[in-house]
Amino acid sequence: MSDAQRVNVANAVERLAWTMVREMLELEPDAGPRPDLPDADLRQMWLAALTSLLAIRDSAEQLAASAALSAAQRGADYPAIGDAAGMTRQGARRKWPGLAGLSDERQRKLAWWNRRRDQFVQCARAVLATSEEWPRLALLRERLDDIEHASPAERIDAFDMALIDAHTVALGAPTPAEAAAAHASGLLSALTADAYAAANSRSALLSREDSACAADGCLSEPVVELWRPDLGQRPVPSCRGHAVEALGEPATRIVAAYQPDIALSVFAEAHAED
């Protein structure tokens, strides 16, 4: 950015700050800190200006963090982000941690969404049509509407929000009494688990606390985590065989997957689907 551009930015910020001051103090549109005003009035104006400028700074920091995140999701690395922010890559990493690898994650997420979009939306619609009202279900309905009306560039962000709500539904929504509705709810949970697994790196998928299936005496490697009402309020790891067996109970749901595309496969086997 050139010196002239920086001057323009400073002038724009100053104009915005004084517009905020006039609104805060209910002053006339052309009011400002004139030398002939009493000290008490000037003091009030400058304190209001300080408040306004700090609010602008905080908003700019939030927007900068959002810009760094969006840049990282589209391939920018820390050296590039640091250069844009006028700092070293180490400084950028300290200021905005967790941005490395987001571009790859986004591409994996897009690939999954392109393959499973129709199935995910249809399944979510089926859950909404057959389940009792619940706050998160209403939010999920709004997210699906957002996906349908979003531009291609915005759609993946809308999908992210839908995944969050779908995952919350998987963890907390009451199990529908009707069999078809319960099946749709379980399928949505499995799809959501696979979506998260597809977006994560292999190292993230392998970093789990338990190294074996939670079933008594089973030493098999877990492939999913299950939400089972009979085992309390914490998801438990399960190998494929025990997961298939447990999913015979409608209230049991897959809430996490340790491998891409495994949750849907396990769910299909449990329900004898092709």
Side-chain angles (χ1 to χ4, degrees), residues 38 58 60 73 90 93 149 155 165-166 168 182 190 214 222 235 239 265:
D58 292 343
Q73 288 176 331
Q90 293 88 349
R93 188 183 295 274
H149 296 99
R155 197 162 293 148
D165 290 318
T168 304
C239 68
S265 172

Side-chain angles (χ1 to χ4, degrees), residues 141-217:
R141 182 179 290 107
E142 292 179 11
R143 303 303 186 199
L144 294 178
D145 291 340
D146 290 342
I147 290 173
E148 291 184 359
H149 296 99
S151 67
E154 298 169 335
R155 197 162 293 148
I156 193 64
D157 295 325
F159 171 55
D160 277 342
M161 300 306 297
L163 273 183
I164 292 171
D165 290 318
H167 184 65
T168 304
V169 168
L171 288 173
T175 302
E178 201 269 322
H183 182 273
S185 181
L187 178 57
L188 180 63
S189 298
L191 283 167
T192 303
D194 270 347
Y196 277 117
N200 287 325
S201 65
R202 176 173 173 79
S203 60
L205 292 174
L206 294 177
S207 60
R208 51 186 183 269
E209 295 180 2
D210 301 289
S211 58
C213 176
D216 290 341

